[in-house]
Amino acid sequence: MRLSMRPVTAVLGFLVLPLRAPMLLVLFAVSAFMGLHWADVAPQLVTQASTPLQQEFAGPWFWPLQCMQALLVVVLCTMPDLLLRELSQLMAASKALTLVVTLLVVITGGLYLLHLAVLSEVLVLASAVLLARLDLTRLRIAPAPLLGAFVLCSWVLAGILVGRSLYAHLGFVFG
């Protein structure tokens, strides 16, 4: 019985993909740096919190909220055509719905932009995701939108986890 080399070739091709698309390595490094930075900032936020709500957001909710923000950026940058098509169909349903959606986007975006320290992280992560997508497109690798979003979200979360564990092991160097 002879083993087929196709699965082995596919796995090897998948493993060397970050070497063929170096912007995936840049995306991983950016997400690892974000995890490292968040691990450094998290204790400072807890000590500076003055109200119980701030202590909740700085304490147990800090990591889930930061990771949710990163995942939202990756999803928005991975499948913008699909999301914008759905949003435009929703807004085409009625003028009232158009106004409500526009108002919601403007208010949410405005409140988010007021917190400029977060905006810089979001812009860097979004740029890295878009560069990684461009690199994958150069290699003619275009997975389905949901699969691409899932893979890039997993890649970013792995980088964040590496950064967080790196801080846990080498925190004395960074602190």
PDB file of all heavy atoms in Angstrom, residues 118-155:
ATOM      1  N   VAL A 118      -6.599  53.992  21.957  1.00  0.00           N
ATOM      2  CA  VAL A 118      -7.053  52.746  21.347  1.00  0.00           C
ATOM      3  C   VAL A 118      -6.991  52.854  19.828  1.00  0.00           C
ATOM      4  O   VAL A 118      -6.708  51.884  19.139  1.00  0.00           O
ATOM      5  CB  VAL A 118      -8.486  52.416  21.827  1.00  0.00           C
ATOM      6  CG1 VAL A 118      -9.039  51.210  21.121  1.00  0.00           C
ATOM      7  CG2 VAL A 118      -8.487  52.192  23.322  1.00  0.00           C
ATOM      8  N   LEU A 119      -7.243  54.045  19.308  1.00  0.00           N
ATOM      9  CA  LEU A 119      -7.280  54.223  17.859  1.00  0.00           C
ATOM     10  C   LEU A 119      -5.949  53.867  17.211  1.00  0.00           C
ATOM     11  O   LEU A 119      -5.925  53.244  16.149  1.00  0.00           O
ATOM     12  CB  LEU A 119      -7.669  55.664  17.511  1.00  0.00           C
ATOM     13  CG  LEU A 119      -7.762  55.983  16.031  1.00  0.00           C
ATOM     14  CD1 LEU A 119      -8.880  55.187  15.384  1.00  0.00           C
ATOM     15  CD2 LEU A 119      -7.971  57.454  15.826  1.00  0.00           C
ATOM     16  N   SER A 120      -4.847  54.217  17.836  1.00  0.00           N
ATOM     17  CA  SER A 120      -3.549  53.903  17.240  1.00  0.00           C
ATOM     18  C   SER A 120      -3.336  52.392  17.156  1.00  0.00           C
ATOM     19  O   SER A 120      -2.828  51.891  16.152  1.00  0.00           O
ATOM     20  CB  SER A 120      -2.429  54.567  18.023  1.00  0.00           C
ATOM     21  OG  SER A 120      -2.407  54.094  19.343  1.00  0.00           O
ATOM     22  N   GLU A 121      -3.728  51.649  18.181  1.00  0.00           N
ATOM     23  CA  GLU A 121      -3.607  50.195  18.141  1.00  0.00           C
ATOM     24  C   GLU A 121      -4.482  49.608  17.047  1.00  0.00           C
ATOM     25  O   GLU A 121      -4.067  48.695  16.333  1.00  0.00           O
ATOM     26  CB  GLU A 121      -4.005  49.582  19.484  1.00  0.00           C
ATOM     27  CG  GLU A 121      -3.043  49.843  20.596  1.00  0.00           C
ATOM     28  CD  GLU A 121      -3.505  49.230  21.896  1.00  0.00           C
ATOM     29  OE1 GLU A 121      -4.568  48.569  21.906  1.00  0.00           O
ATOM     30  OE2 GLU A 121      -2.815  49.395  22.904  1.00  0.00           O
ATOM     31  N   VAL A 122      -5.685  50.125  16.918  1.00  0.00           N
ATOM     32  CA  VAL A 122      -6.610  49.628  15.906  1.00  0.00           C
ATOM     33  C   VAL A 122      -6.063  49.890  14.507  1.00  0.00           C
ATOM     34  O   VAL A 122      -6.120  49.026  13.631  1.00  0.00           O
ATOM     35  CB  VAL A 122      -8.003  50.277  16.088  1.00  0.00           C
ATOM     36  CG1 VAL A 122      -8.897  50.011  14.902  1.00  0.00           C
ATOM     37  CG2 VAL A 122      -8.650  49.774  17.356  1.00  0.00           C
ATOM     38  N   LEU A 123      -5.505  51.068  14.280  1.00  0.00           N
ATOM     39  CA  LEU A 123      -4.959  51.392  12.960  1.00  0.00           C
ATOM     40  C   LEU A 123      -3.765  50.514  12.607  1.00  0.00           C
ATOM     41  O   LEU A 123      -3.622  50.062  11.471  1.00  0.00           O
ATOM     42  CB  LEU A 123      -4.576  52.867  12.897  1.00  0.00           C
ATOM     43  CG  LEU A 123      -5.737  53.849  12.869  1.00  0.00           C
ATOM     44  CD1 LEU A 123      -5.225  55.281  12.910  1.00  0.00           C
ATOM     45  CD2 LEU A 123      -6.602  53.628  11.654  1.00  0.00           C
ATOM     46  N   VAL A 124      -2.898  50.257  13.577  1.00  0.00           N
ATOM     47  CA  VAL A 124      -1.734  49.404  13.319  1.00  0.00           C
ATOM     48  C   VAL A 124      -2.182  47.977  13.021  1.00  0.00           C
ATOM     49  O   VAL A 124      -1.704  47.341  12.077  1.00  0.00           O
ATOM     50  CB  VAL A 124      -0.747  49.454  14.516  1.00  0.00           C
ATOM     51  CG1 VAL A 124       0.327  48.394  14.384  1.00  0.00           C
ATOM     52  CG2 VAL A 124      -0.135  50.828  14.630  1.00  0.00           C
ATOM     53  N   LEU A 125      -3.120  47.465  13.809  1.00  0.00           N
ATOM     54  CA  LEU A 125      -3.609  46.104  13.576  1.00  0.00           C
ATOM     55  C   LEU A 125      -4.331  46.012  12.237  1.00  0.00           C
ATOM     56  O   LEU A 125      -4.130  45.057  11.484  1.00  0.00           O
ATOM     57  CB  LEU A 125      -4.531  45.667  14.718  1.00  0.00           C
ATOM     58  CG  LEU A 125      -5.107  44.258  14.584  1.00  0.00           C
ATOM     59  CD1 LEU A 125      -3.992  43.221  14.584  1.00  0.00           C
ATOM     60  CD2 LEU A 125      -6.092  43.988  15.704  1.00  0.00           C
ATOM     61  N   ALA A 126      -5.171  46.995  11.920  1.00  0.00           N
ATOM     62  CA  ALA A 126      -5.889  46.981  10.641  1.00  0.00           C
ATOM     63  C   ALA A 126      -4.912  47.033   9.470  1.00  0.00           C
ATOM     64  O   ALA A 126      -5.089  46.318   8.470  1.00  0.00           O
ATOM     65  CB  ALA A 126      -6.867  48.151  10.575  1.00  0.00           C
ATOM     66  N   SER A 127      -3.875  47.845   9.576  1.00  0.00           N
ATOM     67  CA  SER A 127      -2.873  47.916   8.512  1.00  0.00           C
ATOM     68  C   SER A 127      -2.158  46.582   8.336  1.00  0.00           C
ATOM     69  O   SER A 127      -1.921  46.134   7.213  1.00  0.00           O
ATOM     70  CB  SER A 127      -1.853  49.008   8.811  1.00  0.00           C
ATOM     71  OG  SER A 127      -2.476  50.254   8.899  1.00  0.00           O
ATOM     72  N   ALA A 128      -1.813  45.943   9.440  1.00  0.00           N
ATOM     73  CA  ALA A 128      -1.125  44.651   9.361  1.00  0.00           C
ATOM     74  C   ALA A 128      -2.033  43.583   8.751  1.00  0.00           C
ATOM     75  O   ALA A 128      -1.571  42.760   7.944  1.00  0.00           O
ATOM     76  CB  ALA A 128      -0.654  44.224  10.752  1.00  0.00           C
ATOM     77  N   VAL A 129      -3.316  43.588   9.107  1.00  0.00           N
ATOM     78  CA  VAL A 129      -4.253  42.616   8.534  1.00  0.00           C
ATOM     79  C   VAL A 129      -4.406  42.846   7.035  1.00  0.00           C
ATOM     80  O   VAL A 129      -4.376  41.901   6.234  1.00  0.00           O
ATOM     81  CB  VAL A 129      -5.623  42.690   9.240  1.00  0.00           C
ATOM     82  CG1 VAL A 129      -6.668  41.875   8.500  1.00  0.00           C
ATOM     83  CG2 VAL A 129      -5.514  42.210  10.669  1.00  0.00           C
ATOM     84  N   LEU A 130      -4.556  44.101   6.632  1.00  0.00           N
ATOM     85  CA  LEU A 130      -4.713  44.395   5.206  1.00  0.00           C
ATOM     86  C   LEU A 130      -3.448  44.051   4.421  1.00  0.00           C
ATOM     87  O   LEU A 130      -3.527  43.552   3.290  1.00  0.00           O
ATOM     88  CB  LEU A 130      -5.105  45.850   5.012  1.00  0.00           C
ATOM     89  CG  LEU A 130      -6.517  46.198   5.493  1.00  0.00           C
ATOM     90  CD1 LEU A 130      -6.745  47.694   5.427  1.00  0.00           C
ATOM     91  CD2 LEU A 130      -7.567  45.452   4.700  1.00  0.00           C
ATOM     92  N   LEU A 131      -2.269  44.281   5.002  1.00  0.00           N
ATOM     93  CA  LEU A 131      -1.025  43.892   4.329  1.00  0.00           C
ATOM     94  C   LEU A 131      -0.907  42.372   4.215  1.00  0.00           C
ATOM     95  O   LEU A 131      -0.441  41.855   3.187  1.00  0.00           O
ATOM     96  CB  LEU A 131       0.176  44.464   5.073  1.00  0.00           C
ATOM     97  CG  LEU A 131       0.419  45.953   4.878  1.00  0.00           C
ATOM     98  CD1 LEU A 131       1.509  46.439   5.819  1.00  0.00           C
ATOM     99  CD2 LEU A 131       0.788  46.252   3.440  1.00  0.00           C
ATOM    100  N   ALA A 132      -1.332  41.656   5.236  1.00  0.00           N
ATOM    101  CA  ALA A 132      -1.310  40.192   5.175  1.00  0.00           C
ATOM    102  C   ALA A 132      -2.274  39.685   4.100  1.00  0.00           C
ATOM    103  O   ALA A 132      -1.941  38.762   3.347  1.00  0.00           O
ATOM    104  CB  ALA A 132      -1.663  39.604   6.546  1.00  0.00           C
ATOM    105  N   ARG A 133      -3.448  40.301   4.020  1.00  0.00           N
ATOM    106  CA  ARG A 133      -4.403  39.911   2.962  1.00  0.00           C
ATOM    107  C   ARG A 133      -3.833  40.205   1.587  1.00  0.00           C
ATOM    108  O   ARG A 133      -4.017  39.430   0.642  1.00  0.00           O
ATOM    109  CB  ARG A 133      -5.723  40.653   3.143  1.00  0.00           C
ATOM    110  CG  ARG A 133      -6.583  40.077   4.244  1.00  0.00           C
ATOM    111  CD  ARG A 133      -7.978  40.627   4.202  1.00  0.00           C
ATOM    112  NE  ARG A 133      -8.629  40.267   2.949  1.00  0.00           N
ATOM    113  CZ  ARG A 133      -9.452  41.076   2.294  1.00  0.00           C
ATOM    114  NH1 ARG A 133      -9.716  42.278   2.757  1.00  0.00           N
ATOM    115  NH2 ARG A 133     -10.020  40.688   1.180  1.00  0.00           N
ATOM    116  N   LEU A 134      -3.155  41.328   1.450  1.00  0.00           N
ATOM    117  CA  LEU A 134      -2.537  41.685   0.171  1.00  0.00           C
ATOM    118  C   LEU A 134      -1.451  40.679  -0.209  1.00  0.00           C
ATOM    119  O   LEU A 134      -1.340  40.273  -1.371  1.00  0.00           O
ATOM    120  CB  LEU A 134      -1.957  43.094   0.250  1.00  0.00           C
ATOM    121  CG  LEU A 134      -1.388  43.681  -1.023  1.00  0.00           C
ATOM    122  CD1 LEU A 134      -2.497  43.873  -2.051  1.00  0.00           C
ATOM    123  CD2 LEU A 134      -0.719  45.006  -0.734  1.00  0.00           C
ATOM    124  N   ASP A 135      -0.677  40.250   0.777  1.00  0.00           N
ATOM    125  CA  ASP A 135       0.363  39.259   0.536  1.00  0.00           C
ATOM    126  C   ASP A 135      -0.241  37.917   0.132  1.00  0.00           C
ATOM    127  O   ASP A 135       0.272  37.240  -0.756  1.00  0.00           O
ATOM    128  CB  ASP A 135       1.222  39.105   1.790  1.00  0.00           C
ATOM    129  CG  ASP A 135       2.688  38.912   1.470  1.00  0.00           C
ATOM    130  OD1 ASP A 135       3.056  39.001   0.294  1.00  0.00           O
ATOM    131  OD2 ASP A 135       3.462  38.686   2.415  1.00  0.00           O
ATOM    132  N   LEU A 136      -1.334  37.527   0.775  1.00  0.00           N
ATOM    133  CA  LEU A 136      -2.007  36.280   0.399  1.00  0.00           C
ATOM    134  C   LEU A 136      -2.621  36.385  -0.989  1.00  0.00           C
ATOM    135  O   LEU A 136      -2.623  35.407  -1.748  1.00  0.00           O
ATOM    136  CB  LEU A 136      -3.079  35.924   1.435  1.00  0.00           C
ATOM    137  CG  LEU A 136      -2.551  35.491   2.799  1.00  0.00           C
ATOM    138  CD1 LEU A 136      -3.695  35.331   3.778  1.00  0.00           C
ATOM    139  CD2 LEU A 136      -1.746  34.218   2.681  1.00  0.00           C
ATOM    140  N   THR A 137      -3.130  37.550  -1.343  1.00  0.00           N
ATOM    141  CA  THR A 137      -3.691  37.758  -2.676  1.00  0.00           C
ATOM    142  C   THR A 137      -2.585  37.669  -3.725  1.00  0.00           C
ATOM    143  O   THR A 137      -2.800  37.138  -4.819  1.00  0.00           O
ATOM    144  CB  THR A 137      -4.395  39.124  -2.749  1.00  0.00           C
ATOM    145  OG1 THR A 137      -5.395  39.168  -1.737  1.00  0.00           O
ATOM    146  CG2 THR A 137      -5.029  39.348  -4.103  1.00  0.00           C
ATOM    147  N   ARG A 138      -1.413  38.172  -3.394  1.00  0.00           N
ATOM    148  CA  ARG A 138      -0.269  38.075  -4.299  1.00  0.00           C
ATOM    149  C   ARG A 138       0.059  36.622  -4.605  1.00  0.00           C
ATOM    150  O   ARG A 138       0.434  36.271  -5.724  1.00  0.00           O
ATOM    151  CB  ARG A 138       0.946  38.777  -3.679  1.00  0.00           C
ATOM    152  CG  ARG A 138       2.203  38.714  -4.510  1.00  0.00           C
ATOM    153  CD  ARG A 138       3.397  39.308  -3.783  1.00  0.00           C
ATOM    154  NE  ARG A 138       3.686  38.700  -2.499  1.00  0.00           N
ATOM    155  CZ  ARG A 138       4.396  37.588  -2.336  1.00  0.00           C
ATOM    156  NH1 ARG A 138       4.876  36.950  -3.374  1.00  0.00           N
ATOM    157  NH2 ARG A 138       4.624  37.110  -1.120  1.00  0.00           N
ATOM    158  N   LEU A 139      -0.123  35.755  -3.616  1.00  0.00           N
ATOM    159  CA  LEU A 139       0.131  34.326  -3.807  1.00  0.00           C
ATOM    160  C   LEU A 139      -1.072  33.589  -4.391  1.00  0.00           C
ATOM    161  O   LEU A 139      -1.044  32.372  -4.518  1.00  0.00           O
ATOM    162  CB  LEU A 139       0.510  33.678  -2.468  1.00  0.00           C
ATOM    163  CG  LEU A 139       1.821  34.130  -1.852  1.00  0.00           C
ATOM    164  CD1 LEU A 139       1.995  33.533  -0.476  1.00  0.00           C
ATOM    165  CD2 LEU A 139       2.981  33.754  -2.754  1.00  0.00           C
ATOM    166  N   ARG A 140      -2.119  34.340  -4.697  1.00  0.00           N
ATOM    167  CA  ARG A 140      -3.383  33.796  -5.236  1.00  0.00           C
ATOM    168  C   ARG A 140      -4.050  32.834  -4.255  1.00  0.00           C
ATOM    169  O   ARG A 140      -4.580  31.796  -4.644  1.00  0.00           O
ATOM    170  CB  ARG A 140      -3.153  33.136  -6.589  1.00  0.00           C
ATOM    171  CG  ARG A 140      -2.775  34.114  -7.660  1.00  0.00           C
ATOM    172  CD  ARG A 140      -2.712  33.440  -9.024  1.00  0.00           C
ATOM    173  NE  ARG A 140      -2.414  34.388 -10.048  1.00  0.00           N
ATOM    174  CZ  ARG A 140      -1.203  34.635 -10.525  1.00  0.00           C
ATOM    175  NH1 ARG A 140      -0.167  33.978 -10.046  1.00  0.00           N
ATOM    176  NH2 ARG A 140      -1.018  35.523 -11.480  1.00  0.00           N
ATOM    177  N   ILE A 141      -3.983  33.193  -2.980  1.00  0.00           N
ATOM    178  CA  ILE A 141      -4.673  32.431  -1.938  1.00  0.00           C
ATOM    179  C   ILE A 141      -5.838  33.288  -1.475  1.00  0.00           C
ATOM    180  O   ILE A 141      -5.645  34.325  -0.838  1.00  0.00           O
ATOM    181  CB  ILE A 141      -3.736  32.113  -0.758  1.00  0.00           C
ATOM    182  CG1 ILE A 141      -2.581  31.252  -1.237  1.00  0.00           C
ATOM    183  CG2 ILE A 141      -4.504  31.428   0.366  1.00  0.00           C
ATOM    184  CD1 ILE A 141      -1.519  31.015  -0.202  1.00  0.00           C
ATOM    185  N   ALA A 142      -7.041  32.866  -1.840  1.00  0.00           N
ATOM    186  CA  ALA A 142      -8.240  33.629  -1.489  1.00  0.00           C
ATOM    187  C   ALA A 142      -9.284  32.666  -0.917  1.00  0.00           C
ATOM    188  O   ALA A 142     -10.134  32.160  -1.641  1.00  0.00           O
ATOM    189  CB  ALA A 142      -8.789  34.357  -2.713  1.00  0.00           C
ATOM    190  N   PRO A 143      -9.213  32.407   0.389  1.00  0.00           N
ATOM    191  CA  PRO A 143     -10.214  31.507   0.977  1.00  0.00           C
ATOM    192  C   PRO A 143     -11.582  32.195   1.047  1.00  0.00           C
ATOM    193  O   PRO A 143     -11.698  33.397   0.834  1.00  0.00           O
ATOM    194  CB  PRO A 143      -9.666  31.230   2.376  1.00  0.00           C
ATOM    195  CG  PRO A 143      -8.831  32.421   2.687  1.00  0.00           C
ATOM    196  CD  PRO A 143      -8.274  32.894   1.374  1.00  0.00           C
ATOM    197  N   ALA A 144     -12.588  31.429   1.367  1.00  0.00           N
ATOM    198  CA  ALA A 144     -13.923  31.990   1.570  1.00  0.00           C
ATOM    199  C   ALA A 144     -13.844  33.028   2.682  1.00  0.00           C
ATOM    200  O   ALA A 144     -13.009  32.912   3.591  1.00  0.00           O
ATOM    201  CB  ALA A 144     -14.900  30.877   1.939  1.00  0.00           C
ATOM    202  N   PRO A 145     -14.696  34.073   2.630  1.00  0.00           N
ATOM    203  CA  PRO A 145     -14.590  35.155   3.620  1.00  0.00           C
ATOM    204  C   PRO A 145     -14.635  34.680   5.074  1.00  0.00           C
ATOM    205  O   PRO A 145     -13.832  35.122   5.887  1.00  0.00           O
ATOM    206  CB  PRO A 145     -15.778  36.053   3.296  1.00  0.00           C
ATOM    207  CG  PRO A 145     -16.075  35.797   1.863  1.00  0.00           C
ATOM    208  CD  PRO A 145     -15.721  34.365   1.623  1.00  0.00           C
ATOM    209  N   LEU A 146     -15.550  33.782   5.397  1.00  0.00           N
ATOM    210  CA  LEU A 146     -15.635  33.316   6.786  1.00  0.00           C
ATOM    211  C   LEU A 146     -14.417  32.492   7.189  1.00  0.00           C
ATOM    212  O   LEU A 146     -13.913  32.623   8.307  1.00  0.00           O
ATOM    213  CB  LEU A 146     -16.912  32.506   6.991  1.00  0.00           C
ATOM    214  CG  LEU A 146     -18.198  33.330   7.010  1.00  0.00           C
ATOM    215  CD1 LEU A 146     -19.409  32.429   7.123  1.00  0.00           C
ATOM    216  CD2 LEU A 146     -18.176  34.337   8.135  1.00  0.00           C
ATOM    217  N   LEU A 147     -13.919  31.673   6.274  1.00  0.00           N
ATOM    218  CA  LEU A 147     -12.727  30.880   6.574  1.00  0.00           C
ATOM    219  C   LEU A 147     -11.511  31.788   6.737  1.00  0.00           C
ATOM    220  O   LEU A 147     -10.707  31.614   7.657  1.00  0.00           O
ATOM    221  CB  LEU A 147     -12.482  29.847   5.475  1.00  0.00           C
ATOM    222  CG  LEU A 147     -11.234  28.985   5.639  1.00  0.00           C
ATOM    223  CD1 LEU A 147     -11.354  28.120   6.891  1.00  0.00           C
ATOM    224  CD2 LEU A 147     -11.012  28.145   4.408  1.00  0.00           C
ATOM    225  N   GLY A 148     -11.385  32.775   5.854  1.00  0.00           N
ATOM    226  CA  GLY A 148     -10.274  33.722   5.963  1.00  0.00           C
ATOM    227  C   GLY A 148     -10.321  34.510   7.263  1.00  0.00           C
ATOM    228  O   GLY A 148      -9.296  34.719   7.912  1.00  0.00           O
ATOM    229  N   ALA A 149     -11.526  34.947   7.640  1.00  0.00           N
ATOM    230  CA  ALA A 149     -11.665  35.675   8.903  1.00  0.00           C
ATOM    231  C   ALA A 149     -11.313  34.782  10.087  1.00  0.00           C
ATOM    232  O   ALA A 149     -10.627  35.216  11.015  1.00  0.00           O
ATOM    233  CB  ALA A 149     -13.086  36.205   9.043  1.00  0.00           C
ATOM    234  N   PHE A 150     -11.763  33.531  10.043  1.00  0.00           N
ATOM    235  CA  PHE A 150     -11.474  32.604  11.135  1.00  0.00           C
ATOM    236  C   PHE A 150      -9.973  32.348  11.257  1.00  0.00           C
ATOM    237  O   PHE A 150      -9.407  32.363  12.367  1.00  0.00           O
ATOM    238  CB  PHE A 150     -12.224  31.280  10.930  1.00  0.00           C
ATOM    239  CG  PHE A 150     -11.906  30.244  11.954  1.00  0.00           C
ATOM    240  CD1 PHE A 150     -12.425  30.342  13.235  1.00  0.00           C
ATOM    241  CD2 PHE A 150     -11.054  29.189  11.660  1.00  0.00           C
ATOM    242  CE1 PHE A 150     -12.111  29.398  14.206  1.00  0.00           C
ATOM    243  CE2 PHE A 150     -10.735  28.244  12.608  1.00  0.00           C
ATOM    244  CZ  PHE A 150     -11.273  28.343  13.886  1.00  0.00           C
ATOM    245  N   VAL A 151      -9.308  32.125  10.133  1.00  0.00           N
ATOM    246  CA  VAL A 151      -7.866  31.826  10.157  1.00  0.00           C
ATOM    247  C   VAL A 151      -7.076  33.044  10.641  1.00  0.00           C
ATOM    248  O   VAL A 151      -6.190  32.913  11.492  1.00  0.00           O
ATOM    249  CB  VAL A 151      -7.399  31.359   8.760  1.00  0.00           C
ATOM    250  CG1 VAL A 151      -5.889  31.304   8.686  1.00  0.00           C
ATOM    251  CG2 VAL A 151      -7.993  30.003   8.435  1.00  0.00           C
ATOM    252  N   LEU A 152      -7.398  34.229  10.117  1.00  0.00           N
ATOM    253  CA  LEU A 152      -6.665  35.419  10.550  1.00  0.00           C
ATOM    254  C   LEU A 152      -6.968  35.770  12.007  1.00  0.00           C
ATOM    255  O   LEU A 152      -6.085  36.229  12.735  1.00  0.00           O
ATOM    256  CB  LEU A 152      -6.961  36.597   9.628  1.00  0.00           C
ATOM    257  CG  LEU A 152      -6.285  36.530   8.259  1.00  0.00           C
ATOM    258  CD1 LEU A 152      -6.661  37.732   7.415  1.00  0.00           C
ATOM    259  CD2 LEU A 152      -4.780  36.431   8.390  1.00  0.00           C
ATOM    260  N   CYS A 153      -8.211  35.558  12.456  1.00  0.00           N
ATOM    261  CA  CYS A 153      -8.529  35.784  13.878  1.00  0.00           C
ATOM    262  C   CYS A 153      -7.740  34.827  14.764  1.00  0.00           C
ATOM    263  O   CYS A 153      -7.214  35.236  15.803  1.00  0.00           O
ATOM    264  CB  CYS A 153     -10.029  35.616  14.123  1.00  0.00           C
ATOM    265  SG  CYS A 153     -11.039  36.990  13.566  1.00  0.00           S
ATOM    266  N   SER A 154      -7.645  33.582  14.344  1.00  0.00           N
ATOM    267  CA  SER A 154      -6.854  32.607  15.115  1.00  0.00           C
ATOM    268  C   SER A 154      -5.385  32.999  15.139  1.00  0.00           C
ATOM    269  O   SER A 154      -4.717  32.876  16.167  1.00  0.00           O
ATOM    270  CB  SER A 154      -7.002  31.206  14.507  1.00  0.00           C
ATOM    271  OG  SER A 154      -8.342  30.814  14.499  1.00  0.00           O
ATOM    272  N   TRP A 155      -4.880  33.475  14.017  1.00  0.00           N
ATOM    273  CA  TRP A 155      -3.480  33.904  13.917  1.00  0.00           C
ATOM    274  C   TRP A 155      -3.213  35.086  14.853  1.00  0.00           C
ATOM    275  O   TRP A 155      -2.206  35.108  15.557  1.00  0.00           O
ATOM    276  CB  TRP A 155      -3.185  34.253  12.458  1.00  0.00           C
ATOM    277  CG  TRP A 155      -1.765  34.528  12.135  1.00  0.00           C
ATOM    278  CD1 TRP A 155      -1.236  35.746  11.822  1.00  0.00           C
ATOM    279  CD2 TRP A 155      -0.683  33.610  12.066  1.00  0.00           C
ATOM    280  NE1 TRP A 155       0.102  35.628  11.564  1.00  0.00           N
ATOM    281  CE2 TRP A 155       0.476  34.330  11.705  1.00  0.00           C
ATOM    282  CE3 TRP A 155      -0.576  32.252  12.278  1.00  0.00           C
ATOM    283  CZ2 TRP A 155       1.713  33.717  11.559  1.00  0.00           C
ATOM    284  CZ3 TRP A 155       0.657  31.648  12.135  1.00  0.00           C
ATOM    285  CH2 TRP A 155       1.775  32.377  11.776  1.00  0.00           C
TER     286      TRP A 155
END
